[in-house]
Amino acid sequence: MGFLSRLFDGMLNTKKSFSEQLKYAFTGNELDQDFYDELEYVLLSSDIGAKATNEILETLKEEVKKNKIKTTDQCKNALKNVMTNILNNVEPQKLVFPCVIMVVGVNGVGKTTTIGKLAQKYDKMGKKVVVVAADTFRAAAADQLEVWAKRAKVKIVSSTEGADPASVVFDGISSGKSRNADVIIIDTAGRLHNKVNLMEELKKINRVVEREFPEADYHKMIVIDGTTGQNATSQVNLFNEAIDLTDITVTKLDGTSKGGFVISLAEEFEIPIRYIGVGESADDLLDFKAKDFVDSIFE
Amino acid sequence: MALFGSLGERLNHIFSKLTKRGKLTELEIKEAMREIRVALLEADVNFLVAKDFIKNVSEKAVGERVLESLTPGQQVIKIVNEELISLMGSENAKLEVAPNPPTIILMCGLQGAGKTTMCSKLGFMLKKQGKKPLLVACDIYRPAAIEQLKIGAKNAGVDFFEKGTINPVKIATEAVSYAKKMGNDTVIIDTAGRLQISQELMDELVKIKEAVKPTEILLTVDSMTGQESVNVATEFNNKLDITGVVLTKLDGDTRGGAALSIKAVTGKPIKFCGIGEKIGDIEPFYPDRMASRILGMGDVLTLIEKAQEAVDQKEMQKLEERLKKNQFTFDDFLLQFEQISKMGNIADLLAMVPGMAGKFNPKDVDESKIKVFKSIIYSMTKKERANPEIINGSRRKRIAAGSGRTIQEVNSLIKQFEQTKQLMKNANNGKLAKMFGRKF
Ligand SMILES: Nc1nc2c(ncn2[C@@H]2O[C@H](COP(=O)(O)OP(=O)(O)OP(=O)(O)O)[C@@H](O)[C@H]2O)c(=O)[nH]1
Ligand SMILES: [Mg+2]
């Protein structure tokens, strides 16, 4: 145990983030087994997962063979390309207005905060925004959203704790429609994807939106905590089964996590990744760009 | 049983050429460990921890004799499982109590880990044990965090302290004097979530620690955390010398490898687990359950045992026979309910099994609904129970009146009956008995 913690101390002190580990991996010049082993560790440590890591490395090796790659620098570029190619598929289309964005996800991932950021973003773009506090379950959830709505100076529709979330959404949509809102953003309670009853509740909310505002460009966006590991796949899988997700947002990438799970998500579900959360203030929301994402990993 | 024991199956496959009585050889172990490694990584065990773990287990396993009752694959799982359990430590759920009250518990962790919820749960638990806890709101950053803790305290029926959004070190200090004055024997301090790389916010925690000298410093970790768990745990532990760990959201379907990683890098005990959103959803940490979960077997071992106890194998076979002949009746339905009731929370257990989530509806096991259904079935005549197709409108009315239920409830029962019948018909022959009756 002592040995291990020392090892990790070392890792932290030298601040070997993903990128730095990669640099380290790429300092040698030979594409030998050691090099690939090192690479594997680096990919694994970014939560890319055992399976995807394996696949990426297989593809890389083919590329190396095909293009007669000899140096670690070339190999690094090839690896970047392999990863960017996977993520290119999930760059999102532009939103069309009016639109409804329903934000879903497991507990504590950053749904409400992301909505606060979105409200400000679209308000600044000159769009009329309405936020809907349909998390009627968690204590003080509506208060939290209200603070964000005030900050962004947008209209909020909410109800009392314990109210039926579907009916809050109904009110939110009618209010948004009557005010000619461009963007209606719905906050939902955090729920674990394996809770059947809670997923049924979400389906019900979803049906209300579909029924009440069929003309809108409807986005069903899952928020995933960037520090999540391989469970991200299960989250997307079950939320997708319930309501056919259209967007993914990954938060908390201002930490040292790299959110590598998006690679397998991109391959498995092909659901567009729209935003990246990089902090707790309203401006800390970026558009997802495949190339930037991969670059940030390598820089 | 691919559903449950995928790792077990793969290992058995590797060992299929091996005779049962042999000793495990280095080569076989090596092959098996490749599978174990993947299983650990898929469970989010940190790769360095996994590497180290595998090295140790391999050394232990070589030359070990395969037990008579087990296949070599099972033997390896047994060794791995035991090693995991011993690494994750004892069932140490006890909170330290300060010699001079109040006992002070400082909660810390990343954003969204579940600290605030855990504070109310701990408060509730301690209150039940006869303590008089005070919850203290030191998260001055997140909107409505104070309000959330306030409601949590109210739900737990415990005291609450806040000072708005002034300096958290000051809030904590004042809270302790307040507790002394008011006779609160335990102080639970909620703090804002923070990244371990935020110098400023980590220093804030250190200052709180210096000011109030907590009895316990509990790092709260989301059980869905990936490789990052080691960085988080190492840094919080370096800065604060934490006394223990609390794992949250274990009612999800995560494999929870973070538990192993954190224990490996900090050596600090995992004390409690959060297993739901309700205030009572807290339990001690069970290393054995965690081990089988990390190995991708969910709570399968417990599940299988439970199912075996509850399900009468002969009845199951009879049921299948009748299903084959399309003779599923309300009597069978009733029998099914009884078996399900006996199994208790099996739906919850099933939901924890990776891959099973969403495939099993806990509504099927809703006790009150089962009671309603039973009362309706009891109001049917023998003939109706055996020949469900004869239950027409007027019979439905009579059954409803006889059982004191509504027509809608009767209809809903009949619909559920039809669905179940279909479902069971679709299930492969013999699958039911297999599902409940065989160890992997
Ligand atoms: N560092 C960082 N923290 C974030 C980010 N997004 C959200 N958070 C923090 O994560 C915590 C939880 O965020 P919430 O927005 O309350 O999460 P939620 O998903 O709405 O939570 P529930 O409604 O309780 O399920 C808060 O402390 C946020 O400030 C991010 O991009 N980076
Ligand atoms: Mg929220």
Side-chain angles (χ1 to χ4, degrees):
Chain A
M1 213 80 83
F3 163 73
L4 257 184
S5 29
R6 270 210 309 283
L7 189 61
F8 284 114
D9 283 357
M11 263 177 64
L12 272 168
N13 290 339
T14 49
K15 244 186 93 228
K16 268 211 223 155
S17 63
F18 183 87
S19 49
E20 279 166 277
Q21 289 175 58
L22 257 189
K23 269 188 208 147
Y24 176 59
F26 284 119
T27 45
N29 239 328
E30 289 204 15
L31 306 182
D32 51 12
Q33 189 55 42
D34 272 359
F35 169 78
Y36 283 113
D37 280 354
E38 193 82 31
L39 209 52
E40 185 196 25
Y41 277 164
V42 171
L43 293 177
L44 286 175
S45 75
S46 80
D47 289 312
I48 284 177
K51 200 171 135 257
T53 294
N54 205 12
E55 283 168 11
I56 290 172
L57 287 180
E58 287 309 311
T59 317
L60 180 65
K61 281 179 189 165
E62 278 166 29
E63 291 289 309
V64 165
K65 223 192 220 158
K66 205 171 73 196
N67 301 320
K68 306 206 169 56
I69 290 173
K70 293 268 154 35
T71 71
T72 49
D73 258 355
Q74 287 171 321
C75 192
K76 175 175 165 177
N77 279 332
L79 177 59
K80 263 186 176 180
N81 285 338
V82 170
M83 291 161 78
T84 312
N85 282 341
I86 297 171
L87 291 179
N88 267 336
N89 277 339
V90 291
E91 276 195 14
Q93 306 283 314
K94 278 220 159 64
L95 294 181
V96 179
F97 302 100
C99 71
V100 176
I101 307 174
M102 176 163 79
V103 180
V104 303
V106 303
N107 314 76
V109 290
K111 294 176 291 300
T112 309
T113 310
T114 301
I115 292 171
K117 296 173 182 175
L118 284 174
Q120 175 183 292
K121 180 185 169 85
Y122 287 105
D123 180 72
K124 273 194 174 163
M125 280 168 59
K127 302 289 171 196
K128 187 171 250 183
V129 181
V130 170
V131 295
V132 184
D135 179 357
T136 56
F137 181 79
R138 209 208 64 199
D143 300 296
Q144 186 187 353
L145 188 63
E146 191 159 346
V147 173
W148 281 105
K150 271 206 188 111
R151 282 182 192 167
K153 301 192 185 64
V154 303
K155 157 95 180 160
I156 177 170
V157 175
S158 58
S159 181
T160 49
E161 208 178 300
D164 175 18
S167 74
V168 183
V169 168
F170 180 90
D171 292 346
I173 298 274
S174 13
S175 160
K177 270 164 77 174
S178 69
R179 309 169 131 250
N180 279 323
D182 302 298
V183 190
I184 301 174
I185 316 173
I186 302 169
D187 191 15
T188 63
R191 67 197 74 224
L192 286 171
H193 44 290
N194 61 337
K195 303 270 167 113
V196 178
N197 295 340
L198 296 179
M199 296 311 277
E200 288 296 326
E201 179 191 89
L202 196 60
K203 285 186 199 168
K204 198 174 139 200
I205 299 174
N206 181 43
R207 284 195 293 270
V208 171
V209 180
E210 280 171 349
R211 194 183 60 216
E212 296 306 317
F213 206 174
E215 322 77 277
D217 180 24
Y218 182 23
H219 289 260
K220 293 162 274 187
M221 182 164 84
I222 187 173
V223 175
I224 306 174
D225 188 321
T227 50
T228 310
Q230 300 310 300
N231 193 249
T233 306
S234 180
Q235 293 174 22
V236 171
N237 188 26
L238 292 179
F239 273 100
N240 194 37
E241 248 174 42
I243 57 165
D244 281 325
L245 296 170
T246 59
D247 301 81
I248 296 174
T249 284
V250 183
T251 57
K252 308 186 193 174
L253 289 179
D254 45 327
T256 45
S257 295
K258 291 296 170 179
F261 55 78
V262 297
I263 301 232
S264 14
L265 292 185
E267 288 195 304
E268 202 165 322
F269 302 99
E270 296 182 24
I271 298 169
I273 303 172
R274 191 162 290 275
Y275 304 111
I276 301 216
V278 290
E280 296 185 81
S281 7
D283 300 326
D284 295 329
L285 191 72
L286 306 176
D287 286 337
F288 173 81
K289 293 267 177 346
K291 190 169 171 302
D292 294 353
F293 192 89
V294 174
D295 278 347
S296 83
I297 285 174
F298 284 80
E299 260 154 24
Chain B
M1 236 157 95
L3 186 64
F4 290 155
S6 53
L7 176 62
E9 282 215 332
R10 282 189 310 232
L11 291 182
N12 279 338
H13 181 74
I14 291 177
F15 289 112
S16 60
K17 289 177 226 103
L18 200 72
T19 52
K20 250 191 158 188
R21 296 283 163 78
K23 284 179 181 170
L24 297 173
T25 71
E26 208 159 326
L27 197 71
E28 289 144 9
I29 302 275
K30 209 174 159 196
E31 285 221 25
M33 286 309 152
R34 211 170 287 159
E35 296 287 347
I36 301 280
R37 176 175 180 266
V38 172
L40 294 178
L41 290 173
E42 280 172 3
D44 294 320
V45 173
N46 178 271
F47 69 91
L48 284 178
V49 175
K51 192 181 181 187
D52 203 59
F53 176 81
I54 279 171
K55 196 168 146 264
N56 290 339
V57 179
S58 302
E59 279 163 14
K60 269 197 192 143
V62 173
E64 187 132 342
R65 187 169 285 284
V66 177
L67 290 180
E68 211 120 344
S69 54
L70 300 179
T71 67
Q74 287 169 334
Q75 180 77 36
V76 170
I77 288 199
K78 188 166 169 289
I79 297 170
V80 170
N81 197 46
E82 282 165 2
E83 189 65 16
L84 276 178
I85 294 172
S86 84
L87 251 182
M88 282 187 295
S90 52
E91 298 184 13
N92 183 5
K94 286 218 181 59
L95 286 169
E96 284 301 317
V97 177
N100 302 314
T103 296
I104 299 169
I105 304 170
L106 178 65
M107 304 295 286
C108 59
L110 295 183
Q111 292 95 338
K115 292 172 293 301
T116 312
T117 311
M118 190 47 84
C119 284
S120 336
K121 287 180 182 174
L122 284 174
F124 182 70
M125 183 188 81
L126 290 169
K127 191 191 167 193
K128 274 200 300 193
Q129 294 168 6
K131 300 260 194 274
K132 191 166 180 274
L134 175 72
L135 301 199
V136 182
C138 279
D139 180 355
I140 59 164
Y141 306 99
R142 212 206 65 197
I146 299 175
E147 186 61 20
Q148 188 188 345
L149 187 69
K150 188 176 180 178
I151 298 171
K154 196 172 143 222
N155 291 342
V158 300
D159 299 328
F160 173 71
F161 185 90
E162 66 150 308
K163 278 265 143 175
T165 53
I166 67 166
N167 183 345
V169 184
K170 203 152 175 249
I171 303 175
T173 317
E174 286 185 27
V176 174
S177 337
Y178 178 83
K180 281 181 187 154
K181 204 170 76 202
M182 303 304 282
N184 291 102
D185 49 19
T186 315
V187 176
I188 304 173
I189 303 175
D190 185 24
T191 63
R194 64 204 70 213
L195 293 170
Q196 80 281 5
I197 51 168
S198 161
Q199 195 67 43
E200 193 188 331
L201 288 176
M202 292 304 283
D203 285 348
E204 180 192 281
L205 281 179
V206 173
K207 281 187 200 134
I208 296 180
K209 176 183 172 175
E210 282 164 359
V212 302
K213 310 227 162 22
T215 329
E216 290 270 12
I217 302 177
L218 299 180
L219 175 65
T220 309
V221 182
D222 187 324
S223 59
M224 292 175 273
T225 310
Q227 300 288 314
E228 182 72 354
S229 60
V230 294
N231 296 336
V232 175
T234 310
E235 196 58 14
F236 271 91
N237 193 38
N238 281 352
K239 286 263 156 66
L240 294 165
D241 192 16
I242 60 170
T243 60
V245 176
V246 178
L247 273 185
T248 61
K249 308 177 201 174
L250 266 172
D251 46 329
D253 63 356
T254 178
R255 301 256 298 270
L260 181 67
S261 306
I262 293 167
K263 186 67 212 284
V265 293
T266 65
K268 302 293 166 66
I270 299 169
K271 299 209 168 187
F272 296 100
C273 299
I275 51 158
E277 294 190 73
K278 289 196 292 294
I279 196 128
D281 292 335
I282 175 173
E283 66 177 29
F285 175 71
Y286 298 111
D288 49 340
R289 286 194 207 165
M290 201 66 223
S292 52
R293 188 168 174 152
I294 288 177
L295 286 176
M297 296 184 276
D299 263 351
V300 172
L301 304 177
T302 335
L303 173 70
I304 292 173
E305 271 165 30
K306 258 196 158 177
Q308 273 178 332
E309 277 166 26
V311 176
D312 187 328
Q313 287 299 308
K314 275 194 200 126
E315 291 292 350
M316 268 297 184
Q317 261 164 20
K318 269 199 238 157
L319 187 63
E320 276 188 14
E321 285 306 309
R322 286 202 294 274
L323 267 174
K324 262 188 225 155
K325 295 184 206 141
N326 204 7
Q327 287 173 339
F328 187 60
T329 68
F330 271 108
D331 285 316
D332 300 321
F333 204 36
L334 205 56
L335 192 85
Q336 232 196 355
F337 281 147
E338 262 146 29
Q339 303 219 327
I340 287 171
S341 302
K342 270 195 277 178
M343 279 192 260
N345 265 337
I346 199 157
D348 287 348
L349 281 174
L350 273 176
M352 289 180 196
V353 177
M356 271 307 271
K359 299 208 170 63
F360 205 79
N361 194 339
K363 276 190 203 148
D364 298 345
V365 207
D366 181 342
E367 283 291 330
S368 60
K369 209 165 168 188
I370 289 182
K371 249 195 216 150
V372 173
F373 281 177
K374 273 189 189 166
S375 73
I376 296 175
I377 298 177
Y378 287 135
S379 292
M380 295 176 183
T381 64
K382 264 216 169 84
K383 204 169 148 202
E384 283 164 347
R385 280 195 229 173
N387 309 288
E389 60 285 351
I390 65 169
I391 305 180
N392 55 18
S394 63
R395 282 178 192 267
R396 287 181 198 210
K397 248 187 230 159
R398 199 212 67 242
I399 295 168
S403 57
R405 299 287 163 187
T406 63
I407 289 268
Q408 283 78 18
E409 280 172 315
V410 176
N411 287 342
S412 134
L413 167 72
I414 291 172
K415 199 167 147 213
Q416 183 130 0
F417 170 79
E418 292 297 341
Q419 279 171 355
T420 310
K421 188 171 167 181
Q422 201 52 44
L423 198 81
M424 297 185 78
K425 236 170 79 185
N426 292 347
N428 289 338
N429 289 347
K431 207 168 183 178
L432 276 176
K434 261 186 220 146
M435 187 156 149
F436 290 115
R438 211 176 64 182
K439 288 210 174 175
F440 81 92

